[in-house]
């Protein structure tokens, strides 16, 4: 299947796949990190969990796309999918935080925000610094998605072709 300029491939199924995998990987890796911390006193930073979820979700999308379409993304598809995945990542993260906050309040009777911030007051300078770091890290995640969507499909496609050649040679 080839895609020409007049034909738009719907990326919605791949964004949904990314969202589901991102939520599952985020929860699963956070639980795993918590277990490692509890049993082995090994502290896995939340940034490692987030990157693991990002990589795993993007690879799941790439594999499904190449498997179904037997080609790599076009430049336009790569850009659109990276932006949509980036938005989905934020939406899933905010949704999981809200669910955690509600659960924390129901089970412990205190808001999660008060536990995270505690009695520390965020000065306006510190708040803007945190926001700046968040924006920089977010755009790094976007460019990481673009890199995965640009580099990985060809590797998967090549591996599939090798596998097909081996099966036809046997």
């Amino acid at each position: 299947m080839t895609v020409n300029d007049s034909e738009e491939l719907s990326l919605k199924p791949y964004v949904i796949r990314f969202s589901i995998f991102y939520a599952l990987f985020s929860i699963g890796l956070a639980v795993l990190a918590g277990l490692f911390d509890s049993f082995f006193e090994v502290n896995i930073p939340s940034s490692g969990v987030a990157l693991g979820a990002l990589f795993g979700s993007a690879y799941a999308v790439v594999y499904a796309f190449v498997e179904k379409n037997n080609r790599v993304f076009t430049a336009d598809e790569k850009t659109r999918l990276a932006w949509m995945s980036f938005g989905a990542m934020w939406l899933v993260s905010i949704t999981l935080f809200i669910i955690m906050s509600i659960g924390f309040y129901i089970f412990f009777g205190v808001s999660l925000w008060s536990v995270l911030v505690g009695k520390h007051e965020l000065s306006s300078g510190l708040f803007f610094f945190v926001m700046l770091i968040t924006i920089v890290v977010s755009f790094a995640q976007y460019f990481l998605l673009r890199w995965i969507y640009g580099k990985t499909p060809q590797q998967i496609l090549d591996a599939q072709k090798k596998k097909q050649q081996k099966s036809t040679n046997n």
Side-chain angles (χ1 to χ4, degrees):
M1 175 182 170
T2 60
V3 176
N4 59 35
D5 292 334
S6 64
E7 202 176 282
E8 282 286 316
L9 179 70
S10 173
L11 298 175
K12 184 178 178 181
Y14 302 106
V15 175
I16 292 170
R17 180 183 207 90
F18 177 90
S19 301
I20 291 168
F21 273 89
Y22 189 77
L24 293 175
F25 280 134
S26 294
I27 294 167
L29 291 173
V31 167
L32 193 61
L35 290 173
F36 267 87
D37 190 34
S38 296
F39 292 111
F40 304 113
E41 296 182 14
V42 174
N43 187 11
I44 299 173
S46 61
S47 58
V49 171
L51 278 177
L54 184 73
F55 269 101
S57 306
Y59 282 118
V61 167
V62 169
Y63 186 82
F65 182 89
V66 171
E67 186 78 20
K68 181 177 181 184
N69 299 294
N70 203 29
R71 65 176 180 83
V72 300
F73 296 112
T74 64
D76 180 56
E77 288 169 340
K78 179 177 80 169
T79 300
R80 288 184 13 232
L81 186 58
W83 277 117
M84 289 190 284
S85 296
F86 179 73
M89 177 189 68
W90 269 100
L91 186 63
V92 167
S93 296
I94 291 168
T95 302
L96 289 175
F97 181 78
I98 290 170
I99 291 169
M100 266 182 21
S101 297
I102 292 169
F104 203 84
Y105 187 76
I106 289 171
F107 290 109
F108 301 110
V110 65
S111 76
L112 183 58
W113 182 255
S114 66
V115 172
L116 292 175
V117 175
K119 295 182 178 168
H120 307 292
E121 290 187 26
L122 288 177
S123 67
S124 60
L126 180 60
F127 175 77
F128 285 116
F129 178 73
V130 169
M131 292 308 299
L132 178 66
I133 296 297
T134 302
I135 291 168
V136 169
V137 168
S138 292
F139 280 104
Q141 290 172 322
Y142 165 75
F143 287 110
L144 184 60
L145 282 167
R146 280 188 57 92
W147 178 78
I148 293 169
Y149 291 154
K151 184 96 171 148
T152 313
Q154 189 61 53
Q155 294 170 341
I156 293 174
L157 192 59
D158 292 344
Q160 285 180 348
K161 286 179 182 177
K162 279 185 183 177
K163 188 177 178 181
Q164 288 173 349
Q165 286 175 347
K166 278 186 179 180
S167 66
T168 57
N169 289 339
N170 290 334

